[in-house]
Amino acid sequence: MSQSSSTDRLTHYQEQILATLKRLDAPISAQDLHAHLRQVQPRLGLATVYRGLEILKIKGLVQSRAAVTGEALYSRVEQDQHYLTCLQCGTSTPLTLCPVQEMANQLQQSKSFKVYYHTLEFFGLCSPCWEQQEAKS
Ligand SMILES: [Zn+2]
Ligand SMILES: [Zn+2]
């Protein structure tokens, strides 16, 4: 259960990416993350942020999910959070629990595949958007 080994060989930038994700504690796009990081690293390029995020993903430290806009949102792997997402206004409401945690734990013990994270999201209409549609028809 040693997870510390994966953080051993991180570059300075990768460590900063992780620290920023931890501080923000909410999913963020690479562009917004870049804006945050540039406050302390003015010369940091967006490509470096993307590359850092990809490496951190492969190391099992960062996860991503796609927003309604198609944009990838990044967060730490520890942040197991699922959403109800409205297709009309794009609002994502967090679910209070993870319905697949037991399955995730079981897979965690499997020797044939190393599970880092999972995503689960429900799509539809939030109640204001749903009521708006009802009123129209
Ligand atoms: Zn909505
Ligand atoms: Zn979950």
Side-chain angles (χ1 to χ4, degrees):
M1 282 292 285
S2 168
Q3 280 224 311
S4 61
S5 60
S6 52
T7 52
D8 284 349
R9 275 163 288 157
L10 294 184
T11 66
H12 180 58
Y13 289 143
Q14 289 161 11
E15 274 172 12
Q16 279 194 325
I17 290 172
L18 270 187
T20 307
L21 289 176
K22 190 170 186 172
R23 184 163 52 83
L24 298 171
D25 208 32
I28 187 172
S29 70
Q31 250 126 1
D32 288 346
L33 183 62
H34 181 230
H36 277 279
L37 288 164
R38 279 190 57 166
Q39 290 167 9
V40 282
Q41 294 279 343
R43 285 162 56 201
L44 182 66
L46 182 59
T48 307
V49 175
Y50 272 114
R51 202 161 47 234
L53 285 167
E54 282 312 303
I55 292 165
L56 290 168
K57 250 170 88 172
I58 290 166
K59 284 177 181 281
L61 299 168
V62 162
Q63 61 172 308
S64 71
R65 62 176 258 268
V68 170
T69 55
E71 192 173 39
L73 298 174
Y74 298 87
S75 59
R76 290 180 310 136
V77 153
E78 289 86 346
Q79 203 177 21
D80 183 35
Q81 183 68 72
H82 305 296
Y83 299 91
L84 299 168
T85 295
C86 177
L87 293 166
Q88 188 155 301
C89 67
T91 304
S92 285
T93 309
L95 288 174
T96 50
L97 54 85
C98 172
V100 296
Q101 195 54 58
E102 199 179 321
M103 188 182 185
N105 290 344
Q106 275 171 19
L107 286 166
Q108 207 78 49
Q109 281 147 31
S110 122
K111 295 276 177 279
S112 54
F113 192 91
K114 195 162 170 56
V115 177
Y116 283 160
Y117 70 91
H118 59 266
T119 64
L120 175 72
E121 195 165 5
F122 296 92
F123 296 93
L125 293 178
C126 68
S127 53
C129 290
W130 169 245
E131 278 159 24
Q132 204 179 24
Q133 279 217 347
E134 289 275 277
K136 269 186 220 163
S137 58

